[in-house]
Amino acid sequence: MITRKRILIFAVCLTVLTVAASLITVSAVRKSGHSSMELKSYGDHVALYIDGRPDTVYRDIDLSLLTDYDRYLLRNGIEISNKEQLKDLLEDYDAFLE
């Protein structure tokens, strides 16, 4: 039972760190003048693309576990306009997988 609890705590911490790193990336991108950010599929996972190139890969989000509609959206890319939107999307996809 303790092992399960530790794994859950580790997974939550990893998710929090990943979201925090993404928010820092979004802030830096906006300050540097880059104009294009989108959340998009990257192999079997999801990545934040900046100016058309993958920047951060979220390996804890497995596309095969998402709905057909979410996979469709991610294949086509979801434009990200601010760090709050990115945070909300990542939390939604992460909560869906739990």
Side-chain angles (χ1 to χ4, degrees):
M1 194 64 149
I2 293 174
T3 303
R4 260 190 181 171
K5 187 175 181 180
R6 286 183 180 172
I7 291 171
L8 180 59
I9 290 169
F10 177 76
V12 168
C13 290
L14 184 60
T15 300
V16 168
L17 289 173
T18 303
V19 170
S22 298
L23 296 178
I24 291 168
T25 300
V26 170
S27 294
V29 167
R30 288 294 178 210
K31 288 179 183 175
S32 68
H34 293 281
S35 59
S36 172
M37 288 190 306
E38 59 185 347
L39 202 58
K40 196 171 181 179
S41 60
Y42 182 84
D44 295 331
H45 303 284
V46 175
L48 175 65
Y49 282 73
I50 298 174
D51 291 335
R53 293 189 287 183
D55 180 76
T56 306
V57 178
Y58 304 100
R59 299 199 185 281
D60 53 334
I61 301 174
D62 187 340
L63 288 177
S64 68
L65 301 175
L66 298 177
T67 65
D68 290 339
Y69 181 69
D70 286 325
R71 285 194 302 270
Y72 169 80
L73 291 175
L74 290 165
R75 270 195 306 272
N76 292 299
I78 301 169
E79 187 175 335
I80 303 297
S81 57
N82 58 54
K83 61 184 175 182
E84 189 64 33
Q85 181 188 12
L86 175 63
K87 178 182 171 217
D88 289 345
L89 282 169
L90 292 174
E91 286 176 352
D92 288 348
Y93 287 130
D94 189 53
F96 180 83
L97 299 175
E98 292 178 355

